[in-house]
Amino acid sequence: MYVILRNFTKKDISENEDYLIPKPIHFKKKNSHRLEISEKIEVKTNLSEDLLYLIDDFFEVLFQSEFQDRFDIKIINDSEPLNFDHIHSLIKNNFPKLNYNDLLLSNNWMEQGYLLNCDDSQVYIYSETPQGLFYGLQTLLQLFNSNDMKSSVNSVIILDYPLLKIRGISDDISRGQAPKISNLKKFIKILSHYKINQYYLVYIQDMYQFRNHPNIGKDRGAYSKEEVEDLFNYAKKYFVDLIPIFQTTGHWDNILHQKEYWEYGEFPGSNSLNIANPKIYDLLDEMIGELRESFKSDYFHIAADESWDVGKLASKEYIKQYGIGQAYLNHYKKIYDIAKSHGYKKILIYHDILYKYDEVLKGLPKDMIIMYWEYNPKKKHPVVDKIKEFNFDFVVSPSIMDFNRLFPSISKAEKNILDLTHYGYQKGCVGEITSSWGDYNNKEIRENRIYGFIFSGVVGWSLLKSLDIMYFWQSLLIQFFGTCNMKYLKIFSIIRSIQDKKSLHFRDSSYYNHFFSHPYNKKRSSYRKSLKITNFHKLLLDLDKILMFCEELWEKEIKHKENIRNLAFIAKHIKFLCNKRINSKRMVSFFPERANLKFINMYIEEIESLKTNLKELLKEYELLWNNCAQHYGFDLIKQKYLWLCKFYDDMLLKIEKKLPWKNPNIPSETIYLDAKKRHTIYCTYYSKDFFIKDDIENANLQVVAGSFAKIYVNNSYAGYVITRNSLNYIMNENNIKIFNIKKYLHTGENNILIENSDFEGGLCLLNIYGEINLVSGKKCVIITDKSWKGTRSMEFAWKGVKSLGKPPKFIGGIGYPDFTKGIPSSKSDYIAQYNYLVGKISKKFYILLKLAFKLIHRYDLLE
């Protein structure tokens, strides 16, 4: 099939370079002339009527809609047979080293390739398929964009096809920021222009409105059948396959946190399904069948990665009986059969669990496609070699390195995508799928993912061509923003430099932990030393440059103008963090109770300015979020900004009233019984007696568990809390919980009993802070400390507990809760990480782990 654009005018020599991304596999500039499009355009094509929209879309983009009326476009539909001898002659004469017969045997050429040729008065695009023709039209658009006036093309001939059949991205929609359908469509259309052909939605098991499971995805922005079906059909128009990544083993904690689904998991709040329970296959069959109604692709991704909890409790005996490898194999084959029964032909699975067991690699159906993911910079990948030995098709999956960062780590992403894709290609991979992740509530502005996704498409298409990074970014400016304005390059260069030089003095992935930490968390000299602000003066000047460049670019007529605002927001965000740290460092040595008026006024003005900037940031952040994502998930992140505002208000009050500094963390100690049972699943009981002398006004208890705590007050069950290390939304939303315990209390002796089960194999930690306000106006405060008693069985004697100390030791900073509004304490995202590490690390390294955490806190290396 073909499209011929006629009535071009031959013009003078062109000095414009062609900035094409991806770079074509075979490209030749025929002469120095250019062809200019006329106002009377004739288009000859043999496209069927249902594909003529490709031509309409082409001209809509070329003329930017509003100018289209100035051109007279005549489309001539022609069924004239193609002259293959002419095509062969063109290829042979212009690319004499290319074997035409080999080309005809190439699936990638036959399915996705195209020939684009500029004659003296016409541009000719030929392809075997509509998809290839679409890609040829996208390249023609880029030829127009490369010329200053956007109305002419250089005289070239291009023979192009992808080196990798699959070029995809996986977009994390499940961890708090659920993109609007309109935003997903925008991404799909943009990325199709850069020849991406697969788009994965991650993890769909918690983000789809299943008919019989109304609580799955509730208040999360879960997508309806109709929305996904509409999105699938839209993507198909642009030759993008919309594919679900549906977890079938691990990462189920968003669902297994809910009591009604506990029976399907290893234990309450488990990461993993109980593969010994036959009921899970009925559930998965139902859900996969329902997904099939919306996702009509041949491909289905069963994920099955990071299933850390398999075999821990409910399936323990089953795993002992069959062995972990055989148990996994049985499970994967059942899932494979279910997916196949619903019409899916190509089943993908992540590598990180299955590669460890030879029986799995030997027994898996050989038509499964294994996705190998790796985000660390490596030149060699022995796991890929092992997968290849077992004769599986495989894809590689690098990352745009955006997880838990304000902005994707550009240099790391480029290296990861280039190195892993190149290695995969050498070993015979069928594609590359670049991932984006939204760990810890997906705080990032999702629009900033687009640059890494485009880079991924470029690498996957023409990997063997040398990739000049500067050429890529210049091409990106021209093709994405429609301008070669170097201010954009300077903006990205400054952001890259901040990341590469570690100008903020901490890891990219620690950004939010530092941003949201209490600004006046500690008051000692070691903390002052750890708050590094070296070269912040220069950094602030660079950030001001970004803001100035963004302001100047905003005034120009450019494409994707909204991205300028996103870039400006990044600069404002980092600028606030710099000023926050500068202020925090100064305030370590400031004592309001003995300061003179001059310093009091200076610090009040400085803190007021910080608070104003923070409120402006939050307002703009909400606007940017709502531009691209549904409102669900935003409130949880918004609360972090509001806590930070409150911390500044608290300090202003202290300064105005000349009050001494007070530790902003709750005074509760994190307690445990002992470390003898670590690396097993076990239960510990904790108890505390206390006396109430007066009638009770209100009473609240905040609990942090390790991992699953049931709360009893005077033998009455008050509820439960699950506190586990997780990247997923529901777990992070609920890992610290407030209980109203007034109705269980009475005057006189009272008792709190905690039944705490540790599913991590950690220390069965517990941290409690409670307030009982009496009618008399007095307050009874309940905290965990060494006065609590513990036992492993109610039949055994109670004994004293041990303590890891008060926050921020071991579990990060925990501020005071707002009991009046029912808002739990501000907390670090890493609140449960220590207990998780204890369960993971070998017993002989436990002492070293504990020592490392003590040193970290002694020298104030973490906030």
Side-chain angles (χ1 to χ4, degrees):
M1 53 189 62
Y2 63 87
V3 170
I4 303 173
L5 277 70
R6 291 175 167 167
N7 296 342
F8 282 81
T9 305
K10 191 174 181 179
K11 291 292 183 180
D12 296 334
I13 293 174
S14 170
E15 296 180 357
N16 289 104
E17 183 177 351
D18 290 309
Y19 288 95
L20 307 179
I21 49 174
K23 273 191 172 181
I25 301 300
H26 301 287
F27 174 93
K28 181 181 177 182
K29 199 165 185 178
K30 297 172 70 174
N31 53 57
S32 299
H33 293 90
R34 58 189 174 90
L35 301 179
E36 186 167 301
I37 199 165
S38 67
E39 292 187 359
K40 289 187 178 292
I41 305 166
E42 185 177 283
V43 181
K44 184 179 178 182
T45 182
N46 64 349
L47 283 174
S48 58
E49 190 172 340
D50 62 318
L51 290 171
L52 289 178
Y53 73 89
L54 295 176
I55 296 173
D56 293 337
D57 278 0
F58 169 82
F59 284 114
E60 183 178 334
V61 175
L62 180 63
F63 299 131
Q64 297 300 302
S65 299
E66 63 266 30
F67 303 116
Q68 193 161 346
D69 292 341
R70 290 166 41 188
F71 294 85
D72 181 13
I73 303 170
K74 182 181 180 181
I75 298 178
I76 302 171
N77 212 271
D78 189 13
S79 57
E80 179 183 324
L82 294 169
N83 187 338
F84 288 103
D85 290 338
H86 174 65
I87 294 169
H88 185 190
S89 176
L90 274 175
I91 294 172
K92 184 177 179 181
N93 292 337
N94 288 281
F95 307 108
K97 294 183 180 180
L98 184 66
N99 188 314
Y100 184 67
N101 291 325
D102 289 345
L103 186 67
L104 292 178
L105 294 174
S106 165
N107 286 334
N108 288 0
W109 156 255
M110 296 301 289
E111 294 173 7
Q112 301 183 47
Y114 64 92
L115 173 71
L116 187 155
N117 181 53
C118 298
D119 288 334
D120 288 344
S121 63
Q122 68 179 23
V123 176
Y124 179 95
I125 302 172
Y126 160 77
S127 176
E128 293 285 337
T129 64
Q131 185 174 359
L133 200 68
F134 171 74
Y135 292 149
L137 287 167
Q138 303 315 299
T139 298
L140 181 57
L141 282 173
Q142 292 195 13
L143 287 169
F144 276 111
N145 285 338
S146 295
N147 279 273
D148 294 335
M149 301 303 294
K150 315 295 185 190
S151 59
S152 63
V153 296
N154 291 334
S155 183
V156 300
I157 183 169
I158 294 171
L159 179 68
D160 200 14
Y161 51 90
L163 293 179
L164 291 178
K165 178 181 179 180
I166 295 171
R167 303 162 308 282
I169 60 100
S170 67
D171 194 352
D172 189 346
I173 61 168
S174 69
R175 294 202 170 123
Q177 189 175 172
K180 294 176 179 177
I181 293 294
S182 58
N183 184 260
L184 289 168
K185 286 181 175 180
K186 173 185 172 182
F187 268 50
I188 286 167
K189 186 170 184 180
I190 289 171
L191 294 172
S192 70
H193 177 73
Y194 300 100
K195 304 177 175 67
I196 288 281
N197 66 349
Q198 287 190 350
Y199 199 107
Y200 290 79
L201 298 181
V202 189
Y203 293 121
I204 199 66
Q205 75 280 355
D206 185 47
M207 291 300 293
Y208 188 85
Q209 294 175 10
F210 295 101
R211 283 188 290 270
N212 297 325
H213 305 278
N215 288 330
I216 291 181
K218 184 180 180 182
D219 299 326
R220 295 282 319 284
Y223 302 102
S224 68
K225 171 193 170 184
E226 292 75 21
E227 285 176 319
V228 175
E229 195 169 10
D230 174 54
L231 185 64
F232 181 87
N233 291 332
Y234 181 86
K236 190 176 179 180
K237 284 177 57 181
Y238 297 99
F239 304 96
V240 175
D241 206 357
L242 187 72
I243 303 166
I245 298 184
F246 176 84
Q247 277 290 357
T248 54
T249 317
H251 284 294
W252 261 66
D253 37 350
N254 276 344
I255 298 173
L256 298 178
H257 193 283
Q258 301 177 46
K259 197 169 184 177
E260 62 189 290
Y261 293 98
W262 284 359
E263 66 171 310
Y264 297 104
E266 286 284 331
F267 44 77
S270 169
N271 153 282
S272 306
L273 288 166
N274 171 14
I275 63 176
N277 183 357
K279 287 184 178 180
I280 70 166
Y281 300 107
D282 295 332
L283 176 65
L284 294 173
D285 183 45
E286 175 194 348
M287 296 170 83
I288 292 172
E290 205 166 325
L291 286 173
R292 185 60 173 164
E293 296 174 14
S294 301
F295 292 96
K296 305 292 187 181
S297 171
D298 286 344
Y299 290 83
F300 187 79
H301 200 312
I302 68 171
D305 61 311
E306 297 181 328
S307 50
W308 300 305
D309 292 337
V310 167
K312 278 188 174 181
L313 192 60
S315 69
K316 190 173 183 178
E317 293 305 315
Y318 175 81
I319 299 299
K320 279 184 181 178
Q321 180 182 356
Y322 290 96
I324 185 68
Q326 187 61 46
Y328 270 129
L329 177 60
N330 294 343
H331 176 65
Y332 297 152
K333 289 170 75 174
K334 288 176 183 176
I335 303 301
Y336 170 88
D337 289 340
I338 290 171
K340 284 279 187 173
S341 73
H342 290 291
Y344 289 110
K345 297 176 182 177
K346 299 178 185 295
I347 315 300
L348 292 95
I349 185 171
Y350 285 123
H351 85 281
D352 57 295
I353 300 295
L354 65 85
Y355 89 92
K356 299 173 183 176
Y357 310 101
D358 283 359
E359 60 261 56
V360 176
L361 288 167
K362 288 175 183 175
L364 275 182
K366 289 304 175 186
D367 63 342
M368 289 189 81
I369 302 171
I370 297 177
M371 183 189 287
Y372 170 77
W373 59 269
E374 179 58 67
Y375 311 143
N376 291 317
K378 290 181 179 180
K379 289 292 184 183
K380 294 186 177 181
H381 300 268
V383 175
V384 168
D385 301 340
K386 185 174 182 178
I387 291 169
K388 191 64 181 171
E389 285 175 15
F390 284 87
N391 298 315
F392 285 99
D393 281 342
F394 70 97
V395 295
V396 292
S397 181
S399 170
I400 62 169
M401 305 299 287
D402 62 330
F403 39 92
N404 212 30
R405 292 159 166 83
L406 178 67
F407 193 88
S409 299
I410 302 172
S411 296
K412 291 177 183 176
E414 289 170 346
K415 183 170 177 54
N416 183 218
I417 293 168
L418 275 169
D419 289 352
L420 182 55
T421 308
H422 184 69
Y423 191 87
Y425 179 78
Q426 288 179 319
K427 297 295 181 176
C429 72
V430 295
E432 68 91 24
I433 298 163
T434 297
S435 65
S436 166
W437 295 107
D439 302 0
Y440 301 112
N441 303 65
N442 211 338
K443 307 177 194 71
E444 302 75 25
I445 300 297
R446 63 173 276 104
E447 291 282 330
N448 291 326
R449 299 175 180 182
I450 199 73
Y451 314 111
F453 285 161
I454 293 171
F455 184 83
S456 163
V458 168
V459 173
W461 182 276
S462 54
L463 182 63
L464 287 186
K465 294 288 183 182
S466 59
L467 184 58
D468 182 333
I469 296 295
M470 181 57 72
Y471 173 86
F472 165 78
W473 283 98
Q474 286 177 316
S475 302
L476 182 71
L477 298 187
I478 290 166
Q479 303 302 340
F480 183 74
F481 290 110
T483 177
C484 59
N485 195 311
M486 298 305 286
K487 289 184 175 68
Y488 275 112
L489 273 186
K490 290 175 183 177
I491 290 170
F492 287 110
S493 178
I494 291 171
I495 294 172
R496 184 194 294 267
S497 176
I498 292 170
Q499 296 167 341
D500 292 351
K501 293 180 180 179
K502 291 185 168 53
S503 299
L504 293 172
H505 307 292
F506 52 72
R507 292 165 58 91
D508 297 348
S509 57
S510 298
Y511 180 88
Y512 285 110
N513 190 48
H514 290 281
F515 185 89
F516 290 118
S517 67
H518 199 294
Y520 314 116
N521 206 23
K522 304 163 190 171
K523 205 166 189 69
R524 47 183 193 255
S525 58
S526 58
Y527 180 55
R528 194 174 191 279
K529 289 177 183 177
S530 71
L531 281 168
K532 292 182 171 36
I533 58 172
T534 309
N535 294 325
F536 269 24
H537 175 70
K538 179 183 179 302
L539 177 54
L540 287 166
L541 291 176
D542 285 341
L543 294 168
D544 282 334
K545 283 182 187 175
I546 291 180
L547 293 172
M548 179 183 69
F549 292 151
C550 287
E551 190 174 336
E552 291 171 0
L553 289 166
W554 185 260
E555 300 301 320
K556 299 184 180 299
E557 288 296 327
I558 51 178
K559 295 191 294 183
H560 301 298
K561 203 169 185 177
E562 67 278 7
N563 286 66
I564 297 172
R565 190 162 190 177
N566 294 324
L567 293 169
F569 178 77
I570 299 304
K572 292 174 189 175
H573 212 274
I574 299 173
K575 188 175 178 180
F576 172 84
L577 176 60
C578 291
N579 287 321
K580 176 196 173 192
R581 291 175 74 83
I582 291 169
N583 172 259
S584 296
K585 192 176 183 78
R586 286 176 184 160
M587 293 295 286
V588 173
S589 305
F590 176 69
F591 297 88
E593 68 273 25
R594 56 176 186 259
N596 62 42
L597 189 61
K598 174 184 174 183
F599 286 106
I600 285 176
N601 290 335
M602 181 183 75
Y603 282 121
I604 286 176
E605 185 178 340
E606 191 173 292
I607 295 169
E608 287 283 9
S609 176
L610 281 167
K611 197 176 78 166
T612 299
N613 289 340
L614 184 62
K615 287 182 176 180
E616 290 172 352
L617 267 184
L618 176 56
K619 185 177 179 180
E620 187 167 4
Y621 178 43
E622 186 165 13
L623 177 66
L624 297 178
W625 176 290
N626 289 331
N627 281 344
C628 59
Q630 303 176 63
H631 69 275
Y632 304 101
F634 182 77
D635 286 345
L636 200 59
I637 304 170
K638 181 179 181 178
Q639 185 58 50
K640 289 179 173 287
Y641 285 86
L642 296 178
W643 274 122
L644 199 46
C645 282
K646 184 181 184 304
F647 299 153
Y648 283 124
D649 282 334
D650 291 344
M651 180 53 75
L652 287 170
L653 184 64
K654 284 183 174 65
I655 293 173
E656 289 168 3
K657 295 192 173 183
K658 292 195 172 185
L659 300 174
W661 177 86
K662 179 185 175 184
N663 189 333
N665 294 292
I666 55 175
S668 310
E669 297 176 28
T670 304
I671 61 172
Y672 64 106
L673 187 59
D674 55 48
K676 294 177 182 177
K677 287 284 187 177
R678 64 188 186 279
H679 286 207
T680 64
I681 290 179
Y682 63 99
C683 181
T684 301
Y685 297 88
Y686 299 97
S687 180
K688 175 70 175 178
D689 294 323
F690 57 97
F691 192 85
I692 298 176
K693 295 181 180 180
D694 201 352
D695 290 338
I696 301 164
E697 183 73 30
N698 53 64
N700 293 283
L701 201 68
Q702 177 177 275
V703 183
V704 178
S707 319
F708 174 60
K710 294 179 181 178
I711 295 88
Y712 297 88
V713 181
N714 293 326
N715 295 320
S716 294
Y717 177 65
Y720 68 89
V721 61
I722 303 173
T723 308
R724 300 193 69 210
N725 184 64
S726 174
L727 305 177
N728 294 322
Y729 181 85
I730 298 294
M731 195 67 70
N732 287 317
E733 183 184 30
N734 295 285
N735 59 14
I736 182 168
K737 203 167 181 180
I738 290 174
F739 301 89
N740 183 339
I741 60 171
K742 179 183 176 181
K743 65 181 178 181
Y744 308 118
L745 298 173
H746 51 249
T747 55
E749 288 289 342
N750 290 267
N751 173 265
I752 293 175
L753 175 69
I754 308 294
E755 180 187 328
N756 198 13
S757 300
D758 196 316
F759 300 129
E760 302 282 15
L763 297 179
C764 213
L765 302 176
L766 182 70
N767 185 290
I768 285 180
Y769 177 78
E771 292 180 0
I772 302 169
N773 293 303
L774 305 177
V775 172
S776 64
K778 292 183 179 180
K779 180 188 291 186
C780 175
V781 176
I782 299 173
I783 62 171
T784 39
D785 56 21
K786 288 185 179 180
S787 68
W788 283 61
K789 299 297 180 183
T791 183
R792 291 228 164 78
S793 171
M794 299 292 281
E795 299 173 358
F796 296 166
W798 293 86
K799 60 181 182 178
V801 298
K802 296 186 177 183
S803 171
L804 294 175
K806 301 174 183 178
K809 290 183 178 179
F810 292 91
I811 59 173
I814 302 181
Y816 284 81
D818 186 342
F819 284 137
T820 58
K821 296 180 180 178
I823 301 173
S825 297
S826 64
K827 58 181 171 57
S828 165
D829 287 333
Y830 310 128
I831 188 172
Q833 200 160 73
Y834 176 73
N835 200 50
Y836 166 78
L837 290 172
V838 171
K840 280 285 185 183
I841 203 165
S842 64
K843 291 186 177 182
K844 65 181 179 180
F845 288 115
Y846 167 66
I847 300 299
L848 291 177
L849 177 68
K850 196 170 181 181
L851 177 62
F853 268 78
K854 284 183 176 180
L855 290 173
I856 284 169
H857 290 294
R858 174 178 292 179
Y859 293 104
D860 291 310
L861 300 177
L862 289 177
E863 295 176 59

